[in-house]
Amino acid sequence: AQSVTQLDSQVPVFEEAPVELRCNYSSSVSVYLFWYVQYPNQGLQLLLKYLSGSTLVESINGFEAEFNKSQTSFHLRKPSVHISDTAEYFCATTGGGNKLTFGTGTQLKVEL
Amino acid sequence: NAGVTQTPKFRVLKTGQSMTLLCAQDMNHEYMYWYRQDPGMGLRLIHYSVGEGTTAKGEVPDGYNVSRLKKQNFLLGLESAAPSQTSVYFCASSLLIRLGGYTFGSGTRLTVV
């Protein structure tokens, strides 16, 4: 069965610093990979996705993630974070069915 | 606005009471899902549906039942609530995953006392 591991439960970072949120997956079949963001007291919003094609995917607000098949990773990066990026981030995958399996989440806290 | 609507947004139940959470989507999605979110555990799939009239168990189905009588609605029922069911419940809908991800509702915060 497919699974997702988010190694860091919390990541504190200063504003304008770079950040990387780690995600590793396990699957024996073709994968689709997603990052979702959850702002306080809200639902989850799709941030970016890898379905096929280019292994580097980008979001409209400056985040990017790279699908690395050999390392089974899909880490999320941003070169310069803003206070408004404070949120919880979830990595998710599906290993062939139409259901997503989520990681346990990483709380990104951006400090001044 | 198009999307997924969950009702109610908040609810407090006493142990043993029953309730139904409603999820409605207006995007003509075939697939619908119910997840629960608990601190440190991410989102866990309770039940899901691949189309009108069909339902299936997810990772944590015990204590819950679901129905999908209409394509746009997916109901989650708790027949006899327990404190362990205190959680935030999210509904989502989708097309085939290879066409994109889920659209989530805003959640229902349920407390069982």
Side-chain angles (χ1 to χ4, degrees), chain A residues 96-110:
Chain A
N98 216 68
K99 308 181 297 296
L100 290 181
T101 298
F102 288 84
T104 52
T106 298
Q107 180 66 48
L108 175 64
K109 184 173 183 181
V110 181

Side-chain angles (χ1 to χ4, degrees), chain B residues 3-90:
Chain B
V4 178
T5 303
Q6 290 184 236
T7 53
K9 295 189 183 304
F10 303 94
R11 185 73 185 269
V12 178
L13 284 181
K14 294 182 179 180
T15 297
Q17 287 185 319
S18 63
M19 78 164 294
T20 300
L21 282 68
L22 172 64
C23 177
Q25 53 97 2
D26 58 5
M27 297 170 287
N28 203 35
H29 286 170
E30 286 293 333
Y31 301 88
M32 297 187 74
Y33 317 83
W34 277 106
Y35 285 82
R36 61 178 288 172
Q37 183 182 22
D38 302 290
M41 304 190 75
L43 280 80
R44 293 180 291 167
L45 183 63
I46 304 172
H47 286 280
Y48 64 101
S49 170
V50 301
E52 180 178 320
T54 72
T55 63
K57 294 180 179 180
E59 180 185 356
V60 289
D62 294 342
Y64 305 95
N65 56 76
V66 288
S67 64
R68 190 144 178 228
L69 299 179
K70 294 182 179 181
K71 185 176 183 178
Q72 63 267 35
N73 295 337
F74 194 30
L75 278 62
L76 177 70
L78 287 72
E79 290 186 348
S80 179
S84 61
Q85 294 178 305
T86 293
S87 186
V88 181
Y89 292 86
F90 286 101

